Amino acid sequence: MYTVSSLKAELHERGWRLTPQRETILQIFQNLPTGEHLSAEDLHVLLQQDGEPISLSTIYRNLKMMSRMGILRELELAEGHKHYEINQPAPYHHHHLICVRCNKTTEFKNDSILKMGAKTAQKEGYHLLDCQLTIHAICPSCQRSILPI
Amino acid sequence: MYTVSSLKAELHERGWRLTPQRETILQIFQNLPTGEHLSAEDLHVLLQQDGEPISLSTIYRNLKMMSRMGILRELELAEGHKHYEINQPAPYHHHHLICVRCNKTTEFKNDSILKMGAKTAQKEGYHLLDCQLTIHAICPSCQRSILPI
DNA sequence: GTACATAATGCGATGCCTTCTCAATAGTGC
DNA sequence: GCACTATTGAGAAGGCATCGCATTATGTAC
Ligand SMILES: [Mn+2]
Ligand SMILES: [Mn+2]
Ligand SMILES: [Zn+2]
Ligand SMILES: [Zn+2]
């Protein structure tokens, strides 16, 4: 599991700083129940409720930074905004099946996909950050409904 | 290959109509060279240059509709806006390796991923539209540069 | 071919997620 | 503690995408 001290070490490597805001954000995602994903706005509200508010600007900046570092995963689960979750290695690593109509999201695991992704990145000389299989589909419930699009 | 008449048939099934604009958009994507992806704005400019302009609203509406039908794929290749390409079955089906710093995109094929995706969707009773493995990484060139984030 | 019902288009206005600007604050190394 | 400068917070700004509505035009029935 990624720790606060390893975050600090990685930040310092690049001449960056560990702030209470970054520590808080990391801890929120580390303790997030399986299957839950947070948007920037979700996180903002959650932190306000917890009594340790962080400005939306700072949240956006750090979600982006931590994704670029490979600590978080940036997911497109719904239209219009991103969702985030902690990026974990196998066997916790997983993928998403999304209904394009109701946005219902189901997680599933498949070890071989991460292996293939890592292999592909390595073959091209890339430094892997995240590997996500996203299945866009229509769920059984929405197939029965006669809603447009 | 998906044809104009099959588009017409699918639209009619739902009580929708085939318009010259929809036909044009489909043909643009069918003739797009391998590895090219278009944003809504790209498509808008391209059509204006070709002398058959289509309003941006109509482009947005139809890109979304055709993605929801499984005709096009909606891709997150860069920050801030979506890219589209035609959705093809094996052996043309492919995936994307993206550098998060310079947005360089490389396509790669892997038949087993689509098979796994189709299997997962089927097992859950979902109607598959698209299955995309996206690898976020840092390309060799960007690894050498000392750019922030 | 004509007429009708209504889906689709085009235009501008609007919405909303995200980024930007910049003064104030606060980590880090010495 | 001090200097340096990365980071934060607040509001303004940007930009992709959607909405509302009058107008146009497709598909169907006659
Ligand atoms: Mn997840
Ligand atoms: Mn492609
Ligand atoms: Zn659904
Ligand atoms: Zn790069």
Side-chain angles (χ1 to χ4, degrees):
Chain A
M1 172 63 91
Y2 203 82
T3 64
V4 171
S5 29
S6 53
L7 171 62
K8 182 167 191 172
E10 265 193 73
L11 289 170
H12 284 194
E13 262 180 44
R14 310 180 192 214
W16 298 344
R17 297 171 186 178
L18 179 64
T19 62
Q21 290 89 340
R22 288 174 178 172
E23 201 171 323
T24 300
I25 292 173
L26 175 61
Q27 284 175 341
I28 291 279
F29 280 104
Q30 280 176 333
N31 298 321
L32 204 64
T34 309
E36 276 200 40
H37 308 94
L38 298 179
S39 67
E41 187 61 34
D42 291 338
L43 181 56
H44 188 231
V45 170
L46 186 65
L47 288 165
Q48 281 185 319
Q49 290 171 344
D50 287 4
E52 36 187 349
I54 297 180
S55 80
L56 212 42
S57 304
T58 299
I59 288 176
Y60 273 109
R61 273 188 295 249
N62 285 315
L63 287 178
K64 188 170 190 170
M65 184 202 72
M66 290 166 83
S67 299
R68 295 292 186 88
M69 291 174 75
I71 299 168
L72 299 181
R73 309 175 86 186
E74 197 169 63
L75 306 169
E76 296 287 335
L77 303 179
E79 294 285 319
H81 60 280
K82 298 185 175 72
H83 280 89
Y84 297 82
E85 69 181 350
I86 195 93
N87 190 9
Q88 290 179 300
Y92 300 103
H93 192 259
H94 64 271
H95 304 280
H96 301 90
L97 169 62
I98 306 164
C99 175
V100 299
R101 293 197 185 165
C102 68
N103 284 325
K104 180 183 171 191
T105 302
T106 308
E107 298 186 337
F108 65 94
K109 288 186 184 177
N110 186 312
D111 290 342
S112 57
I113 291 170
L114 178 55
K115 284 178 193 163
M116 288 182 216
K119 195 176 162 188
T120 301
Q122 189 194 15
K123 196 171 64 182
E124 304 282 336
Y126 281 59
H127 171 69
L128 181 67
L129 292 172
D130 187 24
C131 167
Q132 32 181 293
L133 180 64
T134 306
I135 302 177
H136 295 271
I138 303 173
C139 77
S141 164
C142 288
Q143 286 173 48
R144 287 190 293 273
S145 72
I146 325 173
L147 291 170
I149 309 183
Chain B
M1 172 66 91
Y2 204 81
T3 64
V4 171
S5 27
S6 54
L7 171 61
K8 182 168 190 170
E10 264 192 73
L11 289 169
H12 285 195
E13 261 180 45
R14 310 182 192 213
W16 299 344
R17 297 171 186 178
L18 179 63
T19 62
Q21 290 88 340
R22 287 174 178 173
E23 203 172 321
T24 299
I25 293 173
L26 176 60
Q27 285 175 341
I28 291 280
F29 280 104
Q30 281 176 332
N31 298 321
L32 204 64
T34 309
E36 277 199 39
H37 309 94
L38 299 179
S39 67
E41 186 60 34
D42 291 338
L43 181 55
H44 189 231
V45 170
L46 187 64
L47 288 166
Q48 281 184 320
Q49 291 171 344
D50 287 5
E52 35 186 350
I54 298 179
S55 81
L56 213 42
S57 302
T58 299
I59 288 176
Y60 273 111
R61 273 188 295 248
N62 284 314
L63 287 178
K64 189 170 191 170
M65 184 201 73
M66 291 166 81
S67 298
R68 295 293 186 88
M69 291 174 75
I71 299 168
L72 298 182
R73 311 174 85 186
E74 199 170 61
L75 307 169
E76 297 286 335
L77 304 180
E79 293 286 317
H81 61 279
K82 297 187 176 73
H83 281 89
Y84 296 83
E85 69 180 350
I86 196 90
N87 191 9
Q88 290 180 301
Y92 301 103
H93 192 261
H94 64 270
H95 303 281
H96 300 90
L97 169 62
I98 306 165
C99 175
V100 299
R101 293 197 186 164
C102 67
N103 284 325
K104 180 183 170 189
T105 302
T106 307
E107 299 187 337
F108 65 95
K109 290 186 182 177
N110 186 313
D111 290 342
S112 57
I113 291 170
L114 178 55
K115 284 179 192 162
M116 288 181 213
K119 196 174 162 188
T120 302
Q122 188 194 15
K123 196 171 64 183
E124 304 283 336
Y126 280 58
H127 171 69
L128 180 67
L129 291 173
D130 186 25
C131 167
Q132 33 180 293
L133 180 64
T134 306
I135 302 177
H136 294 271
I138 302 174
C139 77
S141 163
C142 288
Q143 285 174 49
R144 287 190 293 272
S145 73
I146 324 171
L147 291 169
I149 308 183

